[in-house]
Structures are given as structure tokens and as C-alpha cells.
Amino acid sequence: LHQMSPLHIAAQFCELRRWRKMPNPNLADIREKTHLKVMSVGCGPCTELAAIDYMRQTNELEFETLEFIGIDPLSDVWEPIWADIEDYFGTGIRFLNRSILELIDVIVEQDWVPDLIIFQYVFSDMYKHNEQRDIEDFIEKLVDFLNKLI
């Protein structure tokens, strides 16, 4: 994780800290979860995972075990970093080399429900590389999935 940009890690840390402090009676307090499940869409080098690890080390998050699924279609770029991440964290870390548009149907039908979903540049990349109808379908499926959880 030492290879990641400190600026990106700091930005992720600030966003996670700000999100953690938002009051929401519909969500279990993420700080007190002993088993944290995170899905990162467009994870790239996983700067958000470094921020989550830092928050655990500083006791801002209290999880004992972590399940992390990173989704990114650019594995040829990120595989060396992903290997370092898997070595650092050990079990519970998985990467899916696919586009979220290919996976959304699988994700919304699974029993595995993340406590935290992070979108990294997903919508701007979708806008650049996909048809509007595909993006609208994705958003509808995602909203339906999230509404079922609340």
C-alpha cells in the first residue's frame, strides 16, 4: 500500500470520515461492525482500502475481519498492486476483472450484501464509454437494490 498516492489516500480518508459521521437511523453504525463488507466499483489501486485500513489502525473503525470486493475492468494495469494488497490483507480480499455493467445483475441477486459501496470514477467512465440506456438501466437496478436494503 506504500506505493499509493498519499493525496488519494487522504482524500478517501476524509470522505469516509465525513460519511461515517452522517446520522442515518436506517443503517447500522459502521464504526461498531466487527465484520465489515466493502464493495468498491472501479477500485483501481484501492486507495479507499488504504483509508479503511488507516481508520482501523486509528480505532475509528472497529472491524476485526474485512471482506472486500474490488471491481475494475483494467486488471492488466492493476494486477501488480492487487497482488500486493492481497499479500498485505490476506484472506477476504477479491478482485473482479469485469465492468460493473456486466456484473450488476449478478450483484443485485446475491445474498452477500456490502455494508459500504464505493464508486470510484464509475459514472464519469460510464458516461464516456457506454450508451445512455445502459447507464439508465444500471442506475435503476442499483436504486432497486439499495431500496431493498433500507
Side-chain angles (χ1 to χ4, degrees):
L1 296 178
H2 63 283
Q3 299 170 346
M4 294 180 198
S5 162
L7 178 61
H8 285 104
I9 293 170
Q12 294 293 332
F13 174 71
C14 289
E15 285 301 312
L16 284 168
R17 180 180 274 165
R18 188 169 59 94
W19 176 82
R20 181 184 57 92
K21 291 180 179 179
M22 292 171 146
N24 187 336
N26 296 320
L27 298 174
D29 191 348
I30 195 169
R31 289 174 294 191
E32 297 174 2
K33 291 208 168 275
T34 58
H35 182 78
L36 183 62
K37 296 185 286 186
V38 178
M39 177 185 295
S40 177
V41 181
C43 63
C46 301
T47 53
E48 70 280 11
L49 191 53
I52 289 168
D53 185 48
Y54 176 79
M55 292 177 80
R56 179 177 180 231
Q57 290 178 23
T58 59
N59 298 318
E60 291 188 64
L61 294 173
E62 299 175 6
F63 65 90
E64 297 168 13
T65 57
L66 174 67
E67 278 185 81
F68 177 89
I69 296 177
I71 301 170
D72 198 300
L74 301 176
S75 67
D76 54 329
V77 174
W78 304 121
E79 276 186 350
I81 294 172
W82 291 353
D84 288 344
I85 290 168
E86 290 171 330
D87 288 345
Y88 179 83
F89 284 96
T91 60
I93 307 297
R94 292 189 308 149
F95 295 101
L96 303 176
N97 176 25
R98 304 283 293 279
S99 163
I100 188 60
L101 291 177
E102 297 172 43
L103 291 174
I104 189 65
D105 292 319
V106 174
I107 291 167
V108 298
E109 296 300 324
Q110 295 297 315
D111 292 332
W112 190 85
V113 177
D115 301 307
L116 176 62
I117 302 174
I118 300 170
F119 291 95
Q120 296 279 13
Y121 305 105
V122 171
F123 297 107
S124 60
D125 283 349
M126 279 183 176
Y127 180 75
K128 288 186 225 172
H129 304 292
N130 297 282
E131 298 295 321
Q132 181 174 345
R133 183 70 221 152
D134 294 334
I135 297 168
E136 290 170 357
D137 288 345
F138 167 81
I139 291 171
E140 286 176 25
K141 291 174 184 177
L142 180 63
V143 167
D144 288 344
F145 172 69
L146 295 174
N147 282 334
K148 289 178 188 174
L149 301 178
I150 296 177

